[in-house]
Amino acid sequence: MGQTSVMRKPLTPAREFISPSDLTFGLSTCSRCLWIKYWFKVTMPGAFPLVGTLADLQEKHFRGASMTDIDSSLKEGTVTKWGEWVKSTPLIVNGESTRWRILGKYDLVAHNTDGTLALIDCKVSDSTRDSAQFYAPQLEAYAHSLESPATGKPAHVASMGLLVWNPEEGFSDGERHGFLAGQKYLPVERDHTQFAKVIENLITVLEGELPESGPTCATCNYLIERARLDVL
Ligand code: SF4
């Protein structure tokens, strides 16, 4: 599409806290909407019915769970925290401290018996996109915030992973009804170098001028068609 526009930046961004999910979804299409979100706090509305409800139900199921019951490859430990906000110290790019930090709410954290932590992100999904690699920057952002917290003691995150429930069939006992899901745990390898690259890329974009829109985003194509019709 290659639209070019000039937009005056305010003196400071409207928000300086980076959402971990923006490191996956935000950067996977084009960064123009992200730039607008951080400088003007104008966010494209999402339409994800049921996603939050299903994730909450799944997360509740694992409160207090044993990690080795979740997956035999995991260290011994117990899920002790859920749905807590984490905020990092300012992010460093090329050795320089920036104004940007991570702020996000993780799903599950376990305390391992050896004193380390394990981080788990819950998903209810049948999407083939739910690969460990796709979500790696998001999980790394939570791990980074736990290891470099704005307040409190730094922890060591020994493992990260996705816990995916894939709905497979309907279920009913006459009174209660639902879906039966297959469960898989997908380990996500720690990769500090890749995370540093993603952060540098995002911060460079945010500190620059308004980026051009991506060529394939259905939302921008829709908006352009609307503008052609000259209707709001
Ligand atoms: S292509 Fe348009 S709608 Fe899509 S992310 Fe970029 S600016 Fe936003």
Side-chain angles (χ1 to χ4, degrees):
M1 203 171 309
Q3 280 187 306
T4 311
S5 340
V6 178
M7 185 181 264
R8 201 163 49 82
K9 252 161 113 172
L11 286 178
T12 53
R15 50 177 291 173
E16 294 178 347
F17 292 105
I18 293 172
S19 302
S21 59
D22 283 342
L23 301 175
T24 49
F25 295 106
L27 284 173
S28 64
T29 49
C30 95
S31 41
R32 190 173 168 95
C33 275
L34 273 189
W35 191 95
I36 293 169
K37 170 179 172 178
Y38 284 94
W39 283 95
F40 291 94
K41 222 175 186 171
V42 174
T43 306
M44 184 160 56
F48 307 110
L50 279 182
V51 167
T53 308
L54 292 175
D56 285 352
L57 289 172
Q58 189 192 17
E59 182 227 279
K60 271 187 197 140
H61 177 76
F62 289 101
R63 293 179 183 179
S66 147
M67 291 300 277
T68 45
D69 284 352
I70 290 174
D71 195 86
S72 58
S73 70
L74 291 166
K75 286 173 181 255
E76 252 182 61
T78 308
V79 174
T80 49
K81 293 186 170 192
W82 39 84
E84 287 193 10
W85 288 91
V86 282
K87 190 195 284 183
S88 76
T89 52
L91 294 161
I92 310 279
V93 172
N94 295 327
E96 301 273 331
S97 180
T98 69
R99 58 175 128 206
W100 307 95
R101 298 164 186 253
I102 300 287
L103 175 67
K105 193 161 68 156
Y106 59 71
D107 289 338
L108 302 173
V109 160
H111 279 84
N112 297 326
T113 50
D114 66 2
T116 59
L117 298 184
L119 185 60
I120 291 185
D121 203 43
C122 294
K123 303 260 170 257
V124 178
S125 170
D126 61 356
S127 167
T128 49
R129 191 182 57 183
D130 286 339
S131 69
Q133 200 180 351
F134 181 74
Y135 285 100
Q138 184 177 344
L139 279 156
E140 195 70 57
Y142 291 121
H144 174 82
S145 305
L146 290 162
E147 293 180 338
S148 305
T151 55
K153 222 169 104 201
H156 172 56
V157 177
S159 67
M160 320 189 295
L162 299 178
L163 191 51
V164 183
W165 278 2
N166 183 354
E168 288 171 345
E169 56 180 308
F171 161 83
S172 175
D173 64 8
E175 286 183 15
R176 293 166 68 81
H177 321 280
F179 297 94
L180 296 175
Q183 174 175 308
K184 61 184 172 189
Y185 175 78
L186 301 173
V188 177
E189 294 303 319
R190 298 293 311 265
D191 189 342
H192 299 277
T193 311
Q194 180 57 19
F195 179 65
K197 274 192 205 152
V198 172
I199 288 294
E200 181 183 345
N201 175 18
L202 175 61
I203 291 179
T204 305
V205 167
L206 292 178
E207 291 294 354
E209 295 306 316
L210 176 66
E212 292 192 1
S213 57
T216 57
C217 174
T219 308
C220 233
N221 289 337
Y222 168 73
L223 292 172
I224 287 166
E225 286 303 314
R226 295 262 316 226
R228 274 202 197 113
L229 295 174
D230 203 19
V231 289
L232 284 175

